[in-house]
Amino acid sequence: MPGLRGFSWEPKRVAAQGDLVFTHSLVHGWGPGPTVIVDIFRLESGRIVEHWDVVQDLVRPEATASGNSMV
């Protein structure tokens, strides 16, 4: 379980359509290095009723097949 010491959350993209909202973020302090997290929320009556996420260690652009950044 990650602690909060050194934790920072940098939202890079936030979008919503209908009852779905997603955030694409760069997080520090979750693991040994930077982490990319995508959270998807489904809302009903202004409340979160479902949540999905994808968590992956940051891969630098020069190490990706496309040469593009993950965030």
Side-chain angles (χ1 to χ4, degrees):
M1 182 84 167
L4 294 179
R5 176 166 282 154
F7 183 84
S8 68
W9 175 65
E10 299 174 41
K12 298 297 186 178
R13 291 168 190 82
V14 178
Q17 182 175 349
D19 62 352
L20 297 175
V21 176
F22 93 89
T23 62
H24 185 207
S25 308
L26 180 60
V27 176
H28 297 273
W30 183 266
T35 304
V36 177
I37 300 178
V38 174
D39 286 292
I40 305 167
F41 303 95
R42 187 174 69 81
L43 307 174
E44 259 181 35
S45 301
R47 293 178 175 244
I48 297 170
V49 294
E50 290 185 76
H51 169 254
W52 305 270
D53 60 44
V54 178
V55 179
Q56 181 177 345
D57 292 339
L58 177 70
V59 177
R60 300 286 174 196
E62 57 274 7
T64 67
S66 68
N68 294 324
S69 174
M70 291 177 66
V71 293

